[in-house]
Structure formats: C-alpha cells, structure tokens
Amino acid sequence: MSSAPTDPPGPPAEPSITRSSAVMAAGTVLSRITGFGRDVVLTWAIGTTAFSVTYNVANTVPNIVYILLAGGVLNAVFVPQLVKAMREDPDGGKAFADRLITAIGLVLLVITVAAVIAAPLVISAYAYAFTHGEGSEANYDVAVTFARYLLPQIFFYGLHVMLGQVLNARGRFGPMMFAPILNNLVVIVTGVMFLVITAGEHPSTETISDGEMRLLGVGTTLGVIVQALALLPFLKSSGYRYRPRFDLRGTGLGQAYRLATWTLLFVLVNQIAYLVVVQIATGIEETAAADGYPGRGFTPYTKAYLIMLLPHAVITVSVVTALLPRMARAVTDDRLDDVRTDLAGGMKLTGAALIPAAIAFVVLGPSMAVLGFGHGNTSVANAEYIGYVLAGFAVALVPFSVHHQLLRGFYAFSDTRTPVSINVWIAGTNIALALACVALLPARWVAVGLALSYAASYAVGVQISARKLGRYLGPLDGGVVRTYERMALAAVLAAIPAVAVAEIADQIWGTGTTAAAVTVIGGGGAMLVAYLAITMRMRITEVTQLLGPVLRR
C-alpha cells in the first residue's frame, strides 16, 4: 500500500543577515585591530624604504593569494557546491567535502612547492628594479631569501580558507573570522623581537644578518600556520572530521573542477594587473628617492591598501559571507526575488558604514597614518604620505565593496565564468591608468595615482557586473543608488566638524603625532557623532539596522 504523496518541505528558516554578520564582524574587528597593530609594529621595525620593500614584495604573493581566496575565489567553488551536497547527498555532503578539500589541497601544494623553487623568478616578475641599478644585488638577494621563507604561506592560507568554508556552509561563521587574530599576535611578537635584536637601528639590505631575516621570515609564516590549524577543533565540534579521499573520478566533482578552472583564470587576471602595479611601484621608488623623496613607492601603496580593506573586511566580508549560503539556497529553490532582495539589502547595509569610512579616509587619512606609522624607523613625512595614498584608495572603497557583493550573485548561480570576463575589464582599466600615471605624474605622486587608478577600475567593474547580473535577476537597484546618495550627503555634512578640528590642531601643534592624535580622536569622534545624528534625522534605517546587533552585544 503506497502512502499518500506529501508536499516537499519548504526551505529552512534563514538566519538574520545582521545577526550572522554581527558574529563575524566581532571577530573581524578584533582581527583587523590586531592586524593593524601587526602592520604598525612591522613598519616601526623595518621602515618604508628599500629594505621594507624587499620584505613586502616577497610577502605580496601569499598575501594577494589569501585576499583572493578569502575574498571569494574558493568560496565561489565551495559554498554553493557544499550547500547543494549537504541538501542532496545521503551523508550530508561529508564525502563531497572530503574529496573537494583533497583535490584543492593537492593543487595548492603543487603551486606552493613550485613557487618556492622558482622564488628568484617570482621576485624578478614582481620587482624588476631589484635586478639592476645601485644596490640591486643586495636587494635582490634579500628579497629572494624572504620569498623562500614566506611563499609556503600560500598552502596554509588555502588550508585556512578551505576549512573555513566548510564551517561557513555548516553555519559556523565565527571561527574563520577569529583565527587571524592568532596570526597577528605571532607576527607582532616577531616584530617586537626584531626591534629588540636590532636595537631599533634602521635595517638595510647591506647590513641585515641571516638570523634577522630568518626571524622575520619564519615568524611571519608561523603565524599563518597557526591561523590554519586553529580551525581544526571547531571542525571537530561541528561534527565534521576530514578524511583524505583520492577517489576523485566519477564522484560529482566535475562541476566543481569546471568552476575551479574559471576561478584560477580569475586569479591569473588579478595577478597580471597586480604584477604591473607592483613593478611600477617598486620601479619609481629609486627615482623618487633620487629626487629627495624616499619611501614613496610600493610600501606606502601596500600599507594604504591594507588600511582601506579594514572596513571592507569588517563589514562587507561579514555581510556577504552570511549572504552567499542564503542566496545559494534561494537559487536552488528558484526564489529569485529573495536573491534580489538579499543583494540590495546587503549593499544598503554595507554602504551605511563604508560611505562615511571613505569620507573619513579622505579627511583624516594623513593624520591616521602619522599616528599609526610615524614612529620607530618611519619618519613623519613618510607616514603622512601613506595617508595621501589612503585618501586615493578611499575613492575605491565603495565600488570595490559593491563589486564584491555583485560577484556573489554570480557565485550563487555557480557562474564563475562571467566574473572572469568582468575582471579582464577591471584589470585592463587598472593597467592602462597605472601606465598613464607613470607617464604623467612626478615619481613622488605615482603611488597616489595608482590608488586612484584602482578606484576607477572598480567603478568600471560595478557597471559591467550590474548589467550582466541583470540577465539572471532583472533590474537590481532596489533603491540602492538613492540610499547611497542620502548616506553620502550625511557623511559629507558630518565631515565638516572633523575638518574644523584638523585645522585647529594644525594651527596649534603643527605636524607630528600630537596634532595627528587630536585630529583622529577629536575629529573622528565628532564626525561619528554627527553622522549618527544626521542619519537618524534623515531616517536612514540601515545605520540603526547595522548598529543594532553590535550595540546589543
């Protein structure tokens, strides 16, 4: 006797975006605070001139790989596929996750080993300036040595992201966001040890010892290893225990492989653009120094870029990490209206924080950089220049974040091919404008121009992404543009008291850390209070929606 047919169960209740994001944001805030502390200590220890460039260039490859992996390349493959396997496979997707981790882990291992072996070529590719010119031999040798120590991070960054995505697919968002705190603490201790060993003397590629290089290199990579392994206890507590599986053929991984092929192309396109930018930034270092402006190349560019990523990582990454599993489930259930609503809501929510942050970087950027970096082996002038580059990157913050969220729309549909074509336009725009900066700007201002070029490239990316995603979802705006206009008005008005405080501090204390501290604390505090008051008056509800879970916690 057959039983009567029953309706299929409805979709599971979705957790609140703001509640899920608040958990991740709490971890990300602590991670980024300690990350900023790490960056400050390293800048005090190694400065912003030639020696710091050798370390930063060697560290740029694993760092950019991590940004791309954590920013969506692996979760483009992982989260939608894992969500589907968890829903459809009898074992809840356990075997699928085992096979996927094994396959991608093997690929990352091969890439890491190849990168370490080819370290001299990697350095030459990113910094041709190290192979010719005055002092180039010492710069090149030190950079290659650092690369040998730092390139193994590629595998452990990948391991961290893979295990974190398994946790995310199981609704455990916090551990992946908290684990980098351990990494930062390890590197902070390393930087302090380096300062003590060198007695605060300015290091150079001619005077650095093998032991001092080993300390910086091993300490930096050890932090990444700790970050990856810290996720293992949380995986166990979530009920998942990884078991390597090499039966990779005929097990449903074909779709994941095809997605991975396009995501690898995505990485390649990014790397080509970034390689050009790094070559330019390291190349103008010597020219600017000869003109009397040392420390105007790659190090200020990368420091300012990492500061720009702070609000993006705290707000945008937290929001979209919670959104992607929701959107993937909605696509699986053919609930396209929910996908549109989630995308529009996520962009409004992130804009409430990122728009005032961008304005603050423009107004307060130089003072923030002096307060943070103007100590130890970094002069106030070099620290202030980091702030000028940060003001350039501030223009990129909102389009970079919006593009990041629009890509999640493609990933929810398991479409990793379209983002590659979009990325070609972004990379091409960035490269063309970067080359124009070299041709048109004095060497000391090229790094600022590179930051503005980055902003323009992502403005182009947003336009193309929105148009192409509309083929899946129809019109996407949902009031986002109008909401952004109101938030921008509120942020500009709120910046007026910050500008006034900065002028008063400059008149009384001039340049230096005292004036910077007054400007950042007084001006930044005034801007924050004014922004909250103005947005409440304008009834911009996304601000209170964003703050609600944080204030309750």
Side-chain angles (χ1 to χ4, degrees):
M1 179 177 177
S2 62
S3 60
T6 59
D7 293 333
E14 299 284 7
S16 163
I17 297 174
T18 50
R19 186 167 59 250
S20 299
S21 300
V23 175
M24 290 179 284
T28 308
V29 166
L30 293 175
S31 171
R32 291 294 168 165
I33 290 174
T34 55
F36 183 70
R38 157 200 175 131
D39 221 35
V40 166
V41 170
L42 282 178
T43 304
W44 293 357
I46 65 178
T48 61
T49 51
F51 174 73
S52 71
V53 177
T54 62
Y55 173 87
N56 287 320
V57 167
N59 205 32
T60 193
V61 175
N63 271 305
I64 198 66
V65 168
Y66 174 59
I67 290 169
L68 292 172
L69 292 174
V73 173
L74 275 187
N75 71 18
V77 176
F78 260 59
V79 174
Q81 297 298 307
L82 283 171
V83 167
K84 183 178 179 181
M86 289 172 66
R87 285 197 164 196
E88 298 178 358
D89 293 357
D91 65 349
K94 204 288 187 173
F96 181 87
D98 287 343
R99 294 186 180 103
L100 199 55
I101 291 175
T102 301
I104 295 180
L106 290 172
V107 171
L108 284 170
L109 183 60
V110 171
I111 292 173
T112 302
V113 172
V116 172
I117 294 172
L121 295 177
V122 171
I123 295 301
S124 296
Y126 278 88
Y128 177 74
F130 286 173
T131 63
H132 72 289
E134 184 180 352
S136 61
E137 184 177 352
N139 292 344
Y140 179 76
D141 290 342
V142 170
V144 170
T145 301
F146 274 136
R148 303 277 194 203
Y149 288 123
L150 299 175
L151 287 171
Q153 295 175 42
I154 294 173
F155 175 78
F156 291 101
Y157 271 138
L159 179 64
H160 166 74
V161 175
M162 289 189 295
L163 299 181
Q165 296 304 336
V166 174
L167 285 168
N168 288 347
R170 292 170 170 263
R172 300 286 295 273
F173 298 107
M176 188 179 180
M177 300 300 180
F178 279 93
I181 297 171
L182 300 176
N183 179 1
N184 294 329
L185 293 177
V186 170
V187 179
I188 287 172
V189 171
T190 299
V192 171
M193 291 174 63
F194 185 85
L195 273 170
V196 171
I197 289 172
T198 59
E201 294 183 5
H202 196 293
S204 71
T205 52
E206 288 82 9
T207 61
I208 190 75
S209 70
D210 291 342
E212 289 163 351
M213 283 190 287
R214 190 179 304 114
L215 171 63
L216 280 176
V218 172
T220 304
T221 297
L222 179 62
V224 182
I225 295 172
V226 171
Q227 173 178 319
L229 298 182
L231 296 183
L232 294 177
F234 295 99
L235 279 170
K236 183 178 179 180
S237 67
S238 74
Y240 174 80
R241 295 188 180 185
Y242 168 68
R243 183 172 69 88
R245 298 193 62 146
F246 299 96
D247 51 335
L248 305 179
R249 291 183 178 275
T251 55
L253 286 179
Q255 173 71 2
Y257 290 156
R258 287 190 290 273
L259 295 175
T261 300
W262 288 106
T263 57
L264 287 174
L265 288 174
F266 186 97
V267 172
L268 178 61
V269 172
N270 264 294
Q271 283 297 297
I272 291 172
Y274 193 68
L275 184 149
V276 173
V277 170
V278 175
Q279 286 282 13
I280 291 172
T282 55
I284 58 96
E285 179 90 28
E286 186 176 327
T287 305
D291 293 339
Y293 298 96
R296 298 294 192 272
F298 179 65
T299 296
Y301 181 89
T302 190
K303 298 299 180 188
Y305 178 72
L306 291 174
I307 297 173
M308 184 273 286
L309 286 180
L310 172 61
H312 169 77
V314 171
I315 305 298
T316 306
V317 173
S318 299
V319 169
V320 299
T321 302
L323 273 179
L324 184 56
R326 288 169 54 105
M327 292 193 297
R329 285 188 285 268
V331 169
T332 300
D333 298 336
D334 199 29
R335 293 180 283 115
L336 300 188
D337 286 343
D338 289 350
V339 179
R340 278 192 297 270
T341 300
D342 281 344
L343 270 176
M347 286 188 281
K348 291 178 183 178
L349 203 60
T350 55
L354 297 188
I355 290 174
I359 301 297
F361 284 156
V362 172
V363 174
L364 305 173
S367 296
M368 293 170 62
V370 169
L371 182 61
F373 299 113
H375 310 274
N377 289 314
T378 304
S379 68
V380 170
N382 285 356
E384 189 174 44
Y385 184 77
I386 296 174
Y388 295 142
V389 182
L390 176 59
F393 271 122
V395 184
L397 182 56
V398 173
F400 179 76
S401 169
V402 171
H403 176 72
H404 183 89
Q405 294 175 76
L406 290 174
L407 288 188
R408 273 47 198 176
F410 294 107
Y411 296 158
F413 285 93
S414 295
D415 178 1
T416 56
R417 181 175 180 174
T418 302
V420 175
S421 64
I422 297 169
N423 211 32
V424 170
W425 283 98
I426 293 173
T429 302
N430 196 11
I431 290 171
L433 293 176
L435 293 173
C437 289
V438 177
L440 301 175
L441 296 176
R444 67 182 183 274
W445 293 114
V446 168
V448 177
L450 294 177
L452 291 170
S453 300
Y454 188 86
S457 68
Y458 275 95
V460 170
V462 167
Q463 298 301 317
I464 299 173
S465 297
R467 177 170 54 84
K468 292 196 172 187
L469 187 57
R471 297 172 185 173
Y472 285 106
L473 296 173
L476 297 174
D477 179 67
V480 173
V481 173
R482 175 57 181 160
T483 301
Y484 274 20
E485 289 172 349
R486 299 176 68 221
M487 291 174 180
L489 175 61
V492 169
L493 293 175
I496 294 175
V499 173
V501 171
E503 287 295 323
I504 294 171
D506 183 66
Q507 292 295 324
I508 297 176
W509 291 285
T511 59
T513 54
T514 301
V518 172
T519 299
V520 172
I521 298 172
M527 181 176 176
L528 176 61
V529 171
Y531 179 72
L532 293 176
I534 293 170
T535 52
M536 289 181 65
R537 181 70 176 176
M538 295 174 68
R539 297 182 180 178
I540 301 177
T541 57
E542 287 78 13
V543 176
T544 53
Q545 183 183 357
L546 188 66
L547 285 176
V550 177
L551 294 176
R552 284 195 297 272
R553 286 175 183 277

